[in-house]
Amino acid sequence: MALHDHFHSYLDSVRREDRYRTFADLERCANRPPFAIWRSNGISREVVVWCSNDYLGMGRHPAVINAMIETAVRMGAGAGGTRNISGNNHAVVSLEAELADLHQKEAALVFTSGYVSNEAALGTIGRLLPNCLILSDEKNHASMIAGIRASGAEKRIFRHNDLGHLRQLLEEADHSRPRVIAFESLYSMDGDIAPVGEICELAATYNALTYLDEVHAVGLYGLRGAGIAERDGVMDRVAVIEGTLAKGFGVVGGYIAADAVICDAIRCAAPSFIFTTAMPPAVAAAATESVAHLKRSVAERIAHWLQVEKTRRALREVGIPMMPSQSHIISGARWRPGALPRGVDVAAGEVRRLCPADQLSNRAVRHRAPSDYADPVPQRPANQKPGERPLGSLGHTEAAARNQCGANIERGALATGRLTRQDSLHAARPLARNGPAGNARRGMGRGSHPCSSVLLPRYWQAVLTELPRCQLAWARRSAPRNTRQKEMWKCN
């Protein structure tokens, strides 16, 4: 048998099992998300991307793009080498400082991808700790499994998010043996969230080290976008936090944040870090700008949650089943050919004609400059005194979107002490409405601000007071009712 026949045989078996991978040739339209140009066999047409991980649209944010362009012009396109030689550019050093601050850790270490960061960190930790036992959630990502395998350490798998099973495995292990609990905060396939605080409690009880993958949560959860651990107020109890720069932050790369001694040991011992060309300075500068922006702005997170709720509602209306989810991730069931609801078409692997693409996307959020939006002057509620600044309204939307988005912000504010239970009004009533009654129920169609449909309860206002660079601009109260104003987020 010729050597190539082995490869043909493998590919034939993959095709028979319906596991053959076909990549779509796409050209994203940065100014028209979530549209893209799809090309195949000389044919090109416009499609809607339903599966982007650029959750907040930061990959097309003007400040992020400008940071990349300016740095590339000033420092060049490439890194020039590994970080052991000439590749330790200042942009990467600044990015690591920004990430360490984000997660309130002593240090951070940047890698070329999230896969590499998991493989390098877990592989090195398990190898450096003598006789290490790694306890891994059964639904951990392939990169975590690869890192555990590369470490050579013994592995025990606990049932998904099962605290009782994890406790049992910890009890059975030798208590003098180093143990690492490796798990994710948000699992991307089902959209469920781990009980991070409870796992940290078990780790403290049994003197185990916690390793938390936050790739699908960074940028989207927590007061400053540091993830589920920040939202739940347990970030200081997690020993190692791993994240990506390619999803919520919209660029590319991975990282870990931990005590300086852990980062330093991985820096000196991980082959995939030592022998890899460093992240280009332009990429690092763009990532730094994205992280810094989301640390001070909640506008993108609010807009994203509104789009998530709108997507769920539209999918329900056309009869597409969805798995229950605690997060922004929408997991749908696979449909048999010919079993799709009326009005839904499948072409080139995408669901199309569900609704206007500019209004619906489960992960891609429209992002425009604030000057692109204009809303009517908000009405003063009957119980509001003249000249008194409202506690907050940016329009009107359904309570489900308001509550789901606000709950995540509120939990982070409560956990960090920036908000008291007394000020929490999770079921807050509307305090102001936009324009005449005919406009009160308008949707977030083309030309409207992604945040213009949010009723902000008091806990959101508490969050906003913590973010001096992100504030609401209100028009003069004496303006006529029919005058259109810009009521928007201003992120200076």
Side-chain angles (χ1 to χ4, degrees):
M1 177 183 276
L3 293 179
H4 282 187
D5 290 342
H6 294 285
F7 300 111
H8 285 301
S9 176
Y10 167 75
L11 290 176
D12 289 341
S13 66
V14 169
R15 289 188 180 95
R16 284 195 302 270
E17 297 169 5
D18 197 23
R19 294 189 296 113
Y20 185 76
R21 300 176 185 272
T22 302
F23 295 157
D25 182 355
L26 297 174
E27 178 183 332
R28 285 206 308 168
C29 303
N31 60 338
R32 297 180 62 240
F35 288 103
I37 304 300
W38 172 74
R39 293 183 173 86
S40 177
N41 299 324
I43 300 173
S44 64
R45 63 182 175 85
E46 194 173 70
V47 298
V48 178
V49 178
W50 287 84
C51 52
S52 172
N53 282 332
D54 187 4
Y55 294 127
L56 303 178
M58 295 305 294
R60 58 184 178 270
H61 193 287
V64 175
I65 294 173
N66 289 338
M68 177 175 283
I69 294 172
E70 187 275 330
T71 306
V73 170
R74 181 164 48 90
M75 302 180 66
T82 69
R83 294 187 67 176
N84 291 281
I85 48 177
S86 62
N88 192 43
N89 59 78
H90 179 67
V92 172
V93 175
S94 299
L95 173 58
E96 289 177 340
E98 194 75 52
L99 292 168
D101 175 75
L102 173 68
H103 293 289
Q104 298 296 291
K105 300 295 183 185
E106 293 178 357
L109 200 61
V110 168
F111 299 82
T112 51
S113 74
Y115 189 102
V116 173
S117 58
N118 265 332
E119 187 179 40
L122 279 170
T124 304
I125 291 171
R127 188 172 74 253
L128 295 183
L129 293 175
N131 194 29
C132 179
L133 172 65
I134 300 180
L135 300 141
S136 175
D137 188 285
E138 68 176 350
K139 290 191 176 181
N140 276 343
H141 190 263
S143 59
M144 301 178 73
I145 296 171
I148 295 170
R149 183 180 294 118
S151 72
E154 183 184 349
K155 174 186 66 177
R156 300 291 302 277
I157 298 174
F158 62 92
R159 291 186 292 271
H160 180 53
N161 284 347
D162 190 329
L163 295 173
H165 191 210
L166 176 58
R167 181 187 293 274
Q168 176 187 338
L169 295 179
L170 288 167
E171 284 279 3
E172 292 173 354
D174 184 351
H175 289 198
S176 63
R177 185 181 188 183
R179 286 154 294 174
V180 177
I181 303 174
F183 62 108
E184 301 181 36
S185 63
L186 198 166
Y187 293 84
S188 62
M189 297 306 293
D190 298 335
D192 55 338
I193 295 175
V196 181
E198 289 84 345
I199 292 177
C200 289
E201 287 281 356
L202 286 176
T205 301
Y206 294 95
N207 194 29
L209 184 145
T210 47
Y211 183 100
L212 177 64
D213 180 311
E214 288 258 35
V215 294
H216 286 278
V218 288
L220 286 87
Y221 297 84
L223 193 62
R224 301 195 305 160
I228 298 295
E230 183 193 33
R231 185 199 72 174
D232 294 349
V234 295
M235 194 162 57
D236 60 320
R237 306 184 67 182
V238 180
V240 182
I241 295 177
E242 187 269 346
T244 183
L245 302 167
K247 293 181 171 63
F249 296 125
V251 192
V252 68
Y255 67 90
I256 62 165
D259 290 343
V261 64
I262 296 177
C263 290
D264 205 25
I266 295 171
R267 180 184 68 87
C268 294
S272 54
F273 177 85
I274 296 171
F275 300 106
T276 300
T277 298
M279 177 183 287
V283 174
T288 302
E289 178 61 35
S290 181
V291 174
H293 175 83
L294 290 176
K295 281 163 68 173
R296 64 179 180 258
S297 172
V298 297
E300 290 78 10
R301 290 189 278 278
I302 293 174
H304 181 256
W305 272 107
L306 289 172
Q307 294 291 67
V308 169
E309 182 60 27
K310 194 165 190 178
T311 304
R312 287 197 176 108
R313 185 170 64 249
L315 292 173
R316 283 194 297 267
E317 288 174 355
V318 297
I320 292 182
M322 295 167 286
M323 297 176 63
S325 175
Q326 304 167 284
S327 67
H328 63 282
I329 292 175
I330 300 174
S331 297
R334 293 188 63 180
W335 285 85
R336 299 185 310 276
L340 283 169
R342 183 178 179 181
V344 180
D345 178 38
V346 173
E350 61 163 0
V351 179
R352 306 184 68 242
R353 295 206 300 269
L354 184 61
C355 60
D358 64 321
Q359 297 184 21
L360 258 191
S361 175
N362 62 331
R363 294 181 181 179
V365 177
R366 300 181 63 78
H367 184 98
R368 303 182 193 159
S371 59
D372 290 344
Y373 304 103
D375 287 332
V377 175
Q379 301 296 299
R380 178 168 62 86
N383 62 348
Q384 181 184 321
K385 299 177 181 178
E388 181 182 46
R389 184 167 177 165
L391 287 176
S393 172
L394 291 180
H396 188 85
T397 189
E398 293 193 5
R402 179 183 72 241
N403 290 344
Q404 188 161 24
C405 177
N408 287 290
I409 300 175
E410 177 192 18
R411 290 179 69 174
L414 288 169
T416 54
R418 292 187 169 129
L419 179 68
T420 64
R421 288 285 178 188
Q422 189 176 11
D423 290 329
S424 174
L425 295 179
H426 188 57
R429 58 181 174 79
L431 295 178
R433 295 196 179 201
N434 275 0
N439 293 331
R441 295 293 297 179
R442 64 179 174 78
M444 293 190 300
R446 186 182 298 275
S448 66
H449 187 262
C451 293
S452 64
S453 300
V454 184
L455 289 171
L456 292 182
R458 280 165 60 184
Y459 51 78
W460 286 0
Q461 294 297 316
V463 171
L464 297 182
T465 60
E466 297 293 330
L467 303 169
R469 300 190 67 188
C470 190
Q471 56 188 350
L472 287 172
W474 297 89
R476 293 174 59 87
R477 283 292 169 208
S478 58
R481 283 186 58 177
N482 59 355
T483 300
R484 295 183 64 83
Q485 71 173 55
K486 292 185 177 70
E487 177 193 292
M488 67 194 76
W489 292 96
K490 282 189 176 180
C491 297
N492 301 319

